[in-house]
């Protein structure tokens, strides 16, 4: 359990300096301590819009690991003399957690996505990680209420829960129910099921290498086109807020 982890506040929300290795090394430590791990992606979209959802803000703050998910978060940190140097993507972390679960013969539960996508995701995970036990799955279009979903998850006794409802639905669901869930590790994974199940292609290596996945996703889907403008808006807003805070702090120091 990392005790010396550095945390930055960007647009009012905490973001942790993390590595994949640190997160994986925390898994057995938290398990031994009987503590739940809540892995929450904090990306530019969430940082821009979370203030509309107080429950989401509280959930991010109470999460054990707030992932710097997106090159925009890394850029803001660098430009404001922060210490976050690497992004932790929800998709890549999910793959690492699945590999960990496979090595340790763990149990997982999948919640979210379209029924067809979820079916293909289950099939693909079963092929790629034969030692994982998929103890349950519920699609994101299921008419069950939250209480029923929580009950089904708890009755299945999974070690890992992956929630793929997209922002803000997944964060709102978890904000209301994380304390009721008896699962050890929870990760919100956005559209990761779509990629694993083959419904959406991940960006080519060139885009991944140069941190341009956001551009590839935005321009490859008409539904996501407006997201292309969120990164520059986020950068301007985050840097302006930081500059305004700097001036305010400087004024307070000068008046002392």
């Amino acid at each position: 359990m990392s005790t010396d982890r550095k945390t930055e506040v960007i647009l009012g929300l905490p973001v942790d300096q993390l590595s994949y290795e640190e997160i994986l090394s925390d898994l057995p430590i938290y398990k031994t301590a009987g503590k739940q791990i809540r892995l929450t992606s904090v990306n530019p979209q969430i940082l821009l819009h979370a203030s509309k959802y107080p429950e989401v803000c509280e959930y991010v703050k109470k999460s054990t690991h707030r992932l710097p998910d997106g090159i925009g978060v890394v850029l803001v940190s660098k430009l404001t003399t922060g210490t976050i140097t690497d992004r932790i993507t929800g998709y890549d972390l999910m793959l690492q957690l699945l590999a960990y679960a496979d090595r340790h013969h763990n149990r997982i539960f999948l919640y979210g996505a379209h029924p067809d996508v979820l079916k293909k995701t289950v099939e693909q995970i079963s092929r790629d990680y034969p030692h994982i036990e998929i103890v349950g799955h519920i699609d994101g279009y299921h008419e069950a209420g939250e209480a029923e979903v929580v009950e089904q998850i708890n009755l299945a006794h999974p070690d890992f829960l992956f929630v793929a409802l997209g922002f803000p639905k997944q964060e709102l669901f978890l904000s209301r129910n994380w304390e009721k869930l008896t699962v050890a590790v929870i990760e919100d994974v956005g559209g990761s099921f779509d990629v694993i199940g083959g419904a959406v292609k991940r960006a080519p290596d060139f885009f991944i290498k140069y941190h341009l996945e956001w551009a590839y996703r935005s321009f490859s889907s008409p539904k996501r086109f407006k997201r292309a403008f969120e990164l520059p808006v986020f950068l301007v807003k985050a840097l302006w807020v930081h500059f305004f805070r700097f001036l305010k702090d400087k004024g307070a120091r000068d008046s002392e």
Side-chain angles (χ1 to χ4, degrees):
M1 204 178 306
S2 302
T3 56
D4 57 349
R5 184 188 307 152
K6 293 182 179 179
T7 300
E8 298 175 29
V9 177
I10 300 176
L11 294 182
L13 289 181
V15 188
D16 298 322
Q17 179 187 4
L18 289 165
S19 68
Y20 293 105
E21 292 75 20
E22 285 178 286
I23 295 169
L24 293 177
S25 66
D26 274 348
L27 296 179
I29 299 174
Y30 273 75
K31 182 178 181 181
T32 300
K35 294 187 176 182
Q36 184 185 75
I37 293 181
R38 294 179 297 285
L39 305 159
T40 302
S41 290
V42 185
N43 58 33
Q45 182 193 25
I46 291 172
L47 289 167
L48 275 176
H49 302 293
S51 60
K52 303 172 188 174
Y53 310 97
E55 291 175 282
V56 171
C57 294
E58 284 304 305
Y59 180 70
V60 172
K61 292 174 182 178
K62 291 179 179 178
S63 294
T64 58
H65 299 68
R66 288 71 62 97
L67 315 178
D69 188 351
I71 189 60
V73 176
V74 176
L75 281 174
V76 166
S77 179
K78 288 182 177 180
L79 293 171
T80 57
T81 65
T83 57
I84 296 173
T85 57
D86 298 300
R87 63 187 185 132
I88 303 291
T89 71
Y91 172 78
D92 287 320
L93 179 57
M94 181 178 177
L95 295 187
Q96 296 217 22
L97 294 178
L98 289 174
Y100 179 96
D102 190 58
R103 292 193 300 271
H104 293 84
H105 297 251
N106 289 144
R107 301 157 62 88
I108 72 168
F109 197 106
L110 306 172
Y111 176 36
H114 187 276
D116 293 339
V117 170
L118 181 59
K119 180 177 181 292
K120 292 177 181 177
T121 301
V122 169
E123 293 170 351
Q124 191 64 48
I125 291 176
S126 298
R127 285 193 294 269
D128 293 343
Y129 308 96
H131 301 300
I132 283 178
E133 185 179 358
I134 302 176
V135 294
H137 48 83
I138 301 173
D139 66 73
Y141 294 76
H142 199 279
E143 294 182 356
E146 289 188 0
E148 183 180 339
V149 171
V150 170
E151 182 181 17
Q152 287 190 43
I153 294 170
N154 287 341
L155 286 174
H157 302 294
D159 300 296
F160 292 83
L161 169 65
F162 299 101
V163 182
L165 299 173
F167 173 81
K169 291 182 179 179
Q170 60 194 15
E171 290 84 6
L172 289 170
F173 168 78
L174 290 170
S175 72
R176 292 189 287 262
N177 296 290
W178 68 268
E179 291 179 289
K180 304 169 189 173
L181 291 162
T182 56
V183 62
V185 183
I186 299 172
E187 185 192 7
D188 56 3
V189 296
S192 297
F193 292 5
D194 295 275
V195 181
I196 293 174
V200 173
K201 290 184 179 179
R202 199 179 186 192
D205 292 341
F206 171 85
F207 289 87
I208 297 173
K209 180 179 180 181
Y210 292 100
H211 309 297
L212 294 171
E213 282 183 276
W214 64 273
Y216 177 85
R217 290 195 304 268
S218 298
F219 290 106
S220 61
S221 171
K223 293 181 179 179
R224 297 176 62 97
F225 181 73
K226 65 179 182 179
R227 293 275 299 274
F229 301 99
E230 288 191 330
L231 180 58
V233 170
F234 161 72
L235 291 173
V236 170
K237 184 175 181 179
L239 293 175
W240 170 251
V241 168
H242 176 80
F243 179 66
F244 182 77
R245 189 187 308 123
F246 170 79
L247 292 179
K248 184 178 180 180
D249 292 344
K250 184 177 184 300
R253 290 193 300 270
D254 292 343
S255 64
E256 289 178 355

